[in-house]
Amino acid sequence: TVLGTATNNGIVTIADPTITKVQIAEKQDNVGGNVSGYALEASTPNPFPQTSTIHYSLPQESVVSLVVYNALGQVIETLVSGTVGAGDHEALFDGTHLPSGTYYYTLKAGNFVQTQSMSLQR
């Protein structure tokens, strides 16, 4: 369904005023698909006192990287690195050895890249 138009300079115009959320997907070369179906969810619990679970979904088998960073952009831990099958997945982040603060986790899978934040509070 066409909801609007996009220009080469990145401006997207949605024609239907009732649309409140849009996921924009990039077509993958030689596959005929798109990146829709990939998802990175908020970690639970968040904020968390010791551990938090990060949920993500893949529409197809993909090479996945799920990395946690501190506020300075330093890698704290690589939770997933390698080929993961299609479906819903989760990774446990253990922050018991870390100071309180905001941490960021980035999922890279195919052409999909998304970052979320979580807060470690003691």
Side-chain angles (χ1 to χ4, degrees):
T1 303
V2 175
L3 301 175
T5 59
T7 63
N8 286 337
N9 62 359
I11 296 173
V12 177
T13 304
I14 305 299
D16 184 344
T18 63
I19 302 296
T20 59
K21 182 178 179 183
V22 176
Q23 179 177 347
I24 298 175
E26 179 182 321
K27 186 172 178 163
Q28 297 175 354
D29 294 336
N30 302 321
V31 176
N34 61 39
V35 295
S36 63
Y38 289 93
L40 178 61
E41 306 297 330
S43 62
T44 55
N46 189 16
F48 65 102
Q50 296 179 356
T51 62
S52 189
T53 302
I54 299 168
H55 302 272
Y56 63 98
S57 300
L58 307 172
Q60 62 193 24
E61 183 178 273
S62 304
V63 176
V64 172
S65 169
L66 179 58
V67 180
V68 178
Y69 302 89
N70 65 15
L72 299 175
Q74 299 165 321
V75 173
I76 298 301
E77 185 175 353
T78 299
L79 300 175
V80 180
S81 179
T83 302
V84 178
D88 297 330
H89 302 278
E90 60 183 45
L92 181 67
F93 176 64
D94 184 352
T96 55
H97 62 285
L98 296 170
S100 295
T102 301
Y103 293 86
Y104 301 90
Y105 53 100
T106 298
L107 176 69
K108 295 179 183 178
N111 291 331
F112 179 84
V113 178
Q114 187 175 355
T115 300
Q116 298 258 8
S117 66
M118 58 186 164
S119 181
L120 174 58
Q121 296 181 353
R122 300 206 191 275

